[in-house]
PDB file of all heavy atoms in Angstrom:
ATOM      1  N   MET B1095      96.534 103.896 105.130  1.00 49.00           N
ATOM      2  CA  MET B1095      96.941 102.397 104.923  1.00 49.00           C
ATOM      3  C   MET B1095      95.830 101.810 104.049  1.00 49.00           C
ATOM      4  O   MET B1095      94.637 101.817 104.432  1.00 49.00           O
ATOM      5  CB  MET B1095      97.106 101.816 106.207  1.00 49.00           C
ATOM      6  CG  MET B1095      97.388 100.327 106.171  1.00 49.00           C
ATOM      7  SD  MET B1095      97.811  99.327 107.521  1.00 49.00           S
ATOM      8  CE  MET B1095      97.233 100.164 108.958  1.00 49.00           C
ATOM      9  N   ASN B1096      96.169 101.181 102.986  1.00 55.00           N
ATOM     10  CA  ASN B1096      95.163 100.497 102.108  1.00 55.00           C
ATOM     11  C   ASN B1096      95.460  98.988 102.165  1.00 55.00           C
ATOM     12  O   ASN B1096      96.397  98.484 101.472  1.00 55.00           O
ATOM     13  CB  ASN B1096      95.300 101.059 100.718  1.00 55.00           C
ATOM     14  CG  ASN B1096      94.256 100.590  99.754  1.00 55.00           C
ATOM     15  OD1 ASN B1096      93.323  99.808 100.246  1.00 55.00           O
ATOM     16  ND2 ASN B1096      94.306 100.823  98.575  1.00 55.00           N
ATOM     17  N   LEU B1099      91.745  92.820 100.864  1.00 54.00           N
ATOM     18  CA  LEU B1099      91.219  91.622 101.343  1.00 54.00           C
ATOM     19  C   LEU B1099      90.550  90.886 100.254  1.00 54.00           C
ATOM     20  O   LEU B1099      90.486  91.391  99.089  1.00 54.00           O
ATOM     21  CB  LEU B1099      90.203  91.757 102.480  1.00 54.00           C
ATOM     22  CG  LEU B1099      90.770  92.401 103.808  1.00 54.00           C
ATOM     23  CD1 LEU B1099      89.684  92.672 104.757  1.00 54.00           C
ATOM     24  CD2 LEU B1099      91.789  91.371 104.427  1.00 54.00           C
ATOM     25  N   ALA B1110      84.146 100.050 109.496  1.00 96.00           N
ATOM     26  CA  ALA B1110      84.062 101.361 110.356  1.00 96.00           C
ATOM     27  C   ALA B1110      84.138 102.516 109.492  1.00 96.00           C
ATOM     28  O   ALA B1110      83.396 103.544 109.649  1.00 96.00           O
ATOM     29  CB  ALA B1110      85.136 101.364 111.476  1.00 96.00           C
ATOM     30  N   LYS B1118      86.014 101.172 117.637  1.00 96.00           N
ATOM     31  CA  LYS B1118      85.529 100.917 119.008  1.00 96.00           C
ATOM     32  C   LYS B1118      84.015 100.783 119.022  1.00 96.00           C
ATOM     33  O   LYS B1118      83.442  99.878 119.670  1.00 96.00           O
ATOM     34  CB  LYS B1118      85.998 101.817 119.996  1.00 96.00           C
ATOM     35  CG  LYS B1118      85.673 101.598 121.413  1.00 96.00           C
ATOM     36  CD  LYS B1118      86.218 102.614 122.414  1.00 96.00           C
ATOM     37  CE  LYS B1118      85.689 102.228 123.773  1.00 96.00           C
ATOM     38  NZ  LYS B1118      86.181 103.008 124.824  1.00 96.00           N
ATOM     39  N   LEU B1120      82.090  99.965 116.486  1.00 95.00           N
ATOM     40  CA  LEU B1120      81.725  98.733 115.848  1.00 95.00           C
ATOM     41  C   LEU B1120      81.938  97.570 116.744  1.00 95.00           C
ATOM     42  O   LEU B1120      81.109  96.612 116.825  1.00 95.00           O
ATOM     43  CB  LEU B1120      82.598  98.694 114.551  1.00 95.00           C
ATOM     44  CG  LEU B1120      82.276  97.453 113.654  1.00 95.00           C
ATOM     45  CD1 LEU B1120      80.880  97.506 113.232  1.00 95.00           C
ATOM     46  CD2 LEU B1120      83.182  97.498 112.389  1.00 95.00           C
ATOM     47  N   ASN B1122      81.759  97.526 120.015  1.00 95.00           N
ATOM     48  CA  ASN B1122      80.637  97.630 121.023  1.00 95.00           C
ATOM     49  C   ASN B1122      79.396  97.113 120.423  1.00 95.00           C
ATOM     50  O   ASN B1122      78.552  96.382 121.113  1.00 95.00           O
ATOM     51  CB  ASN B1122      80.450  99.009 121.514  1.00 95.00           C
ATOM     52  CG  ASN B1122      81.563  99.485 122.445  1.00 95.00           C
ATOM     53  OD1 ASN B1122      82.320  98.659 122.991  1.00 95.00           O
ATOM     54  ND2 ASN B1122      81.672 100.737 122.608  1.00 95.00           N
ATOM     55  N   LEU B1123      79.061  97.440 119.184  1.00 94.00           N
ATOM     56  CA  LEU B1123      77.859  96.922 118.514  1.00 94.00           C
ATOM     57  C   LEU B1123      77.877  95.419 118.379  1.00 94.00           C
ATOM     58  O   LEU B1123      76.926  94.725 118.499  1.00 94.00           O
ATOM     59  CB  LEU B1123      77.637  97.612 117.186  1.00 94.00           C
ATOM     60  CG  LEU B1123      77.256  99.012 117.143  1.00 94.00           C
ATOM     61  CD1 LEU B1123      77.332  99.590 115.781  1.00 94.00           C
ATOM     62  CD2 LEU B1123      75.864  99.193 117.671  1.00 94.00           C
ATOM     63  N   ARG B1124      79.106  94.911 118.074  1.00 91.00           N
ATOM     64  CA  ARG B1124      79.278  93.511 117.858  1.00 91.00           C
ATOM     65  C   ARG B1124      78.968  92.751 119.134  1.00 91.00           C
ATOM     66  O   ARG B1124      78.289  91.756 119.252  1.00 91.00           O
ATOM     67  CB  ARG B1124      80.676  93.194 117.299  1.00 91.00           C
ATOM     68  CG  ARG B1124      80.857  91.899 116.709  1.00 91.00           C
ATOM     69  CD  ARG B1124      82.097  91.761 115.970  1.00 91.00           C
ATOM     70  NE  ARG B1124      83.375  92.034 116.821  1.00 91.00           N
ATOM     71  CZ  ARG B1124      84.199  93.020 116.422  1.00 91.00           C
ATOM     72  NH1 ARG B1124      83.992  93.748 115.352  1.00 91.00           N
ATOM     73  NH2 ARG B1124      85.268  93.264 117.239  1.00 91.00           N
ATOM     74  N   VAL B1125      79.572  93.296 120.289  1.00 92.00           N
ATOM     75  CA  VAL B1125      79.291  92.673 121.527  1.00 92.00           C
ATOM     76  C   VAL B1125      77.876  92.616 121.991  1.00 92.00           C
ATOM     77  O   VAL B1125      77.363  91.653 122.648  1.00 92.00           O
ATOM     78  CB  VAL B1125      80.230  93.334 122.647  1.00 92.00           C
ATOM     79  CG1 VAL B1125      79.849  92.993 124.051  1.00 92.00           C
ATOM     80  CG2 VAL B1125      81.703  93.124 122.374  1.00 92.00           C
ATOM     81  N   GLY B1128      74.184  94.211 118.184  1.00 86.00           N
ATOM     82  CA  GLY B1128      73.381  95.206 117.380  1.00 86.00           C
ATOM     83  C   GLY B1128      74.018  95.479 116.067  1.00 86.00           C
ATOM     84  O   GLY B1128      73.700  96.582 115.384  1.00 86.00           O
ATOM     85  N   VAL B1130      75.849  93.866 112.212  1.00 94.00           N
ATOM     86  CA  VAL B1130      75.793  92.803 111.164  1.00 94.00           C
ATOM     87  C   VAL B1130      76.618  91.534 111.539  1.00 94.00           C
ATOM     88  O   VAL B1130      77.435  91.497 112.425  1.00 94.00           O
ATOM     89  CB  VAL B1130      76.457  93.395 109.857  1.00 94.00           C
ATOM     90  CG1 VAL B1130      77.934  93.652 110.020  1.00 94.00           C
ATOM     91  CG2 VAL B1130      76.144  92.595 108.673  1.00 94.00           C
ATOM     92  N   PHE B1132      79.110  88.498 111.500  1.00 94.00           N
ATOM     93  CA  PHE B1132      80.507  88.452 111.178  1.00 94.00           C
ATOM     94  C   PHE B1132      81.124  87.000 111.334  1.00 94.00           C
ATOM     95  O   PHE B1132      80.459  86.132 111.739  1.00 94.00           O
ATOM     96  CB  PHE B1132      81.289  89.397 112.172  1.00 94.00           C
ATOM     97  CG  PHE B1132      81.184  89.002 113.625  1.00 94.00           C
ATOM     98  CD1 PHE B1132      82.101  88.206 114.260  1.00 94.00           C
ATOM     99  CD2 PHE B1132      80.110  89.399 114.353  1.00 94.00           C
ATOM    100  CE1 PHE B1132      81.991  87.831 115.611  1.00 94.00           C
ATOM    101  CE2 PHE B1132      79.892  89.119 115.698  1.00 94.00           C
ATOM    102  CZ  PHE B1132      80.927  88.347 116.292  1.00 94.00           C
ATOM    103  N   VAL B1133      82.317  86.940 110.741  1.00 93.00           N
ATOM    104  CA  VAL B1133      83.023  85.627 110.724  1.00 93.00           C
ATOM    105  C   VAL B1133      84.261  85.822 111.494  1.00 93.00           C
ATOM    106  O   VAL B1133      85.036  86.743 111.383  1.00 93.00           O
ATOM    107  CB  VAL B1133      83.336  85.254 109.233  1.00 93.00           C
ATOM    108  CG1 VAL B1133      84.178  83.967 109.238  1.00 93.00           C
ATOM    109  CG2 VAL B1133      82.165  85.192 108.400  1.00 93.00           C
ATOM    110  N   VAL B1135      88.026  84.762 112.352  1.00 87.00           N
ATOM    111  CA  VAL B1135      89.156  84.156 111.703  1.00 87.00           C
ATOM    112  C   VAL B1135      90.421  84.234 112.641  1.00 87.00           C
ATOM    113  O   VAL B1135      90.396  84.869 113.667  1.00 87.00           O
ATOM    114  CB  VAL B1135      89.367  84.899 110.427  1.00 87.00           C
ATOM    115  CG1 VAL B1135      88.240  84.759 109.401  1.00 87.00           C
ATOM    116  CG2 VAL B1135      89.698  86.293 110.564  1.00 87.00           C
ATOM    117  N   GLY B1137      91.936  82.033 114.546  1.00 80.00           N
ATOM    118  CA  GLY B1137      91.693  81.480 115.968  1.00 80.00           C
ATOM    119  C   GLY B1137      90.725  82.301 116.838  1.00 80.00           C
ATOM    120  O   GLY B1137      90.714  82.327 117.999  1.00 80.00           O
ATOM    121  N   GLY B1138      89.832  83.070 116.041  1.00 76.00           N
ATOM    122  CA  GLY B1138      88.791  83.758 116.768  1.00 76.00           C
ATOM    123  C   GLY B1138      89.162  85.265 117.233  1.00 76.00           C
ATOM    124  O   GLY B1138      88.295  85.876 117.825  1.00 76.00           O
ATOM    125  N   ARG B1139      90.347  85.634 116.957  1.00 81.00           N
ATOM    126  CA  ARG B1139      90.907  86.877 117.467  1.00 81.00           C
ATOM    127  C   ARG B1139      90.520  88.031 116.490  1.00 81.00           C
ATOM    128  O   ARG B1139      90.483  89.157 116.844  1.00 81.00           O
ATOM    129  CB  ARG B1139      92.328  86.835 117.675  1.00 81.00           C
ATOM    130  CG  ARG B1139      92.726  85.907 118.808  1.00 81.00           C
ATOM    131  CD  ARG B1139      94.166  85.975 119.194  1.00 81.00           C
ATOM    132  NE  ARG B1139      94.560  87.344 119.514  1.00 81.00           N
ATOM    133  CZ  ARG B1139      94.632  87.831 120.731  1.00 81.00           C
ATOM    134  NH1 ARG B1139      94.415  87.028 121.692  1.00 81.00           N
ATOM    135  NH2 ARG B1139      95.129  89.070 120.948  1.00 81.00           N
ATOM    136  N   ASP B1146      78.031  90.773 101.338  1.00 95.00           N
ATOM    137  CA  ASP B1146      76.461  90.528 101.248  1.00 95.00           C
ATOM    138  C   ASP B1146      75.787  90.687 102.493  1.00 95.00           C
ATOM    139  O   ASP B1146      74.686  91.152 102.547  1.00 95.00           O
ATOM    140  CB  ASP B1146      76.395  88.983 100.755  1.00 95.00           C
ATOM    141  CG  ASP B1146      76.850  88.716  99.331  1.00 95.00           C
ATOM    142  OD1 ASP B1146      77.097  89.758  98.621  1.00 95.00           O
ATOM    143  OD2 ASP B1146      77.028  87.525  98.960  1.00 95.00           O
ATOM    144  N   VAL B1148      76.689  92.761 104.909  1.00 96.00           N
ATOM    145  CA  VAL B1148      76.714  94.149 105.252  1.00 96.00           C
ATOM    146  C   VAL B1148      75.582  94.871 104.457  1.00 96.00           C
ATOM    147  O   VAL B1148      74.752  95.626 104.920  1.00 96.00           O
ATOM    148  CB  VAL B1148      78.086  94.768 104.893  1.00 96.00           C
ATOM    149  CG1 VAL B1148      78.012  96.287 105.009  1.00 96.00           C
ATOM    150  CG2 VAL B1148      79.126  94.169 105.842  1.00 96.00           C
ATOM    151  N   ALA B1150      72.824  93.452 103.165  1.00 95.00           N
ATOM    152  CA  ALA B1150      71.622  93.063 103.627  1.00 95.00           C
ATOM    153  C   ALA B1150      71.217  93.732 104.890  1.00 95.00           C
ATOM    154  O   ALA B1150      70.083  94.247 105.066  1.00 95.00           O
ATOM    155  CB  ALA B1150      71.593  91.497 103.873  1.00 95.00           C
ATOM    156  N   HIS B1155      67.823  97.931 107.620  1.00 90.00           N
ATOM    157  CA  HIS B1155      67.726  99.062 108.574  1.00 90.00           C
ATOM    158  C   HIS B1155      67.588 100.425 107.930  1.00 90.00           C
ATOM    159  O   HIS B1155      67.641 101.476 108.614  1.00 90.00           O
ATOM    160  CB  HIS B1155      69.076  99.047 109.447  1.00 90.00           C
ATOM    161  CG  HIS B1155      69.087  97.973 110.418  1.00 90.00           C
ATOM    162  ND1 HIS B1155      69.548  96.692 109.911  1.00 90.00           N
ATOM    163  CD2 HIS B1155      68.727  97.877 111.673  1.00 90.00           C
ATOM    164  CE1 HIS B1155      69.426  95.900 111.089  1.00 90.00           C
ATOM    165  NE2 HIS B1155      68.958  96.554 112.080  1.00 90.00           N
ATOM    166  N   ALA B1156      67.211 100.390 106.661  1.00 90.00           N
ATOM    167  CA  ALA B1156      66.928 101.666 105.966  1.00 90.00           C
ATOM    168  C   ALA B1156      65.595 102.116 106.311  1.00 90.00           C
ATOM    169  O   ALA B1156      64.580 101.385 106.451  1.00 90.00           O
ATOM    170  CB  ALA B1156      66.996 101.382 104.411  1.00 90.00           C
ATOM    171  N   VAL B1157      65.444 103.520 106.565  1.00 88.00           N
ATOM    172  CA  VAL B1157      64.201 104.150 106.910  1.00 88.00           C
ATOM    173  C   VAL B1157      64.053 105.403 105.989  1.00 88.00           C
ATOM    174  O   VAL B1157      64.964 105.886 105.469  1.00 88.00           O
ATOM    175  CB  VAL B1157      64.065 104.554 108.342  1.00 88.00           C
ATOM    176  CG1 VAL B1157      64.081 103.309 109.347  1.00 88.00           C
ATOM    177  CG2 VAL B1157      65.273 105.505 108.744  1.00 88.00           C
ATOM    178  N   SER B1159      62.167 108.172 107.267  1.00 87.00           N
ATOM    179  CA  SER B1159      62.036 109.426 108.055  1.00 87.00           C
ATOM    180  C   SER B1159      62.558 109.146 109.414  1.00 87.00           C
ATOM    181  O   SER B1159      62.698 108.003 109.824  1.00 87.00           O
ATOM    182  CB  SER B1159      60.559 109.809 108.152  1.00 87.00           C
ATOM    183  OG  SER B1159      59.830 108.942 109.006  1.00 87.00           O
ATOM    184  N   THR B1160      62.824 110.142 110.178  1.00 84.00           N
ATOM    185  CA  THR B1160      63.369 110.006 111.465  1.00 84.00           C
ATOM    186  C   THR B1160      62.275 109.453 112.539  1.00 84.00           C
ATOM    187  O   THR B1160      62.557 109.008 113.577  1.00 84.00           O
ATOM    188  CB  THR B1160      63.825 111.288 112.080  1.00 84.00           C
ATOM    189  OG1 THR B1160      62.805 112.303 112.039  1.00 84.00           O
ATOM    190  CG2 THR B1160      64.993 111.835 111.255  1.00 84.00           C
ATOM    191  N   ARG B1166      64.375  95.644 113.041  1.00 50.00           N
ATOM    192  CA  ARG B1166      65.270  94.948 113.984  1.00 50.00           C
ATOM    193  C   ARG B1166      65.079  93.449 114.089  1.00 50.00           C
ATOM    194  O   ARG B1166      64.090  92.939 114.069  1.00 50.00           O
ATOM    195  CB  ARG B1166      65.227  95.553 115.418  1.00 50.00           C
ATOM    196  CG  ARG B1166      65.337  97.148 115.408  1.00 50.00           C
ATOM    197  CD  ARG B1166      66.621  97.531 115.868  1.00 50.00           C
ATOM    198  NE  ARG B1166      66.724  99.001 115.610  1.00 50.00           N
ATOM    199  CZ  ARG B1166      67.913  99.615 115.582  1.00 50.00           C
ATOM    200  NH1 ARG B1166      68.965  98.999 115.545  1.00 50.00           N
ATOM    201  NH2 ARG B1166      67.916 100.868 115.343  1.00 50.00           N
TER     202      ARG B1166
END
Side-chain angles (χ1 to χ4, degrees):
M1095 174 172 26
N1096 188 6
L1099 294 174
K1118 182 177 180 179
L1120 187 56
N1122 290 339
L1123 288 170
R1124 196 168 56 239
V1125 168
V1130 66
F1132 59 93
V1133 178
V1135 296
R1139 296 185 56 98
D1146 291 343
V1148 170
H1155 289 81
V1157 295
S1159 75
T1160 57
R1166 305 258 174 201

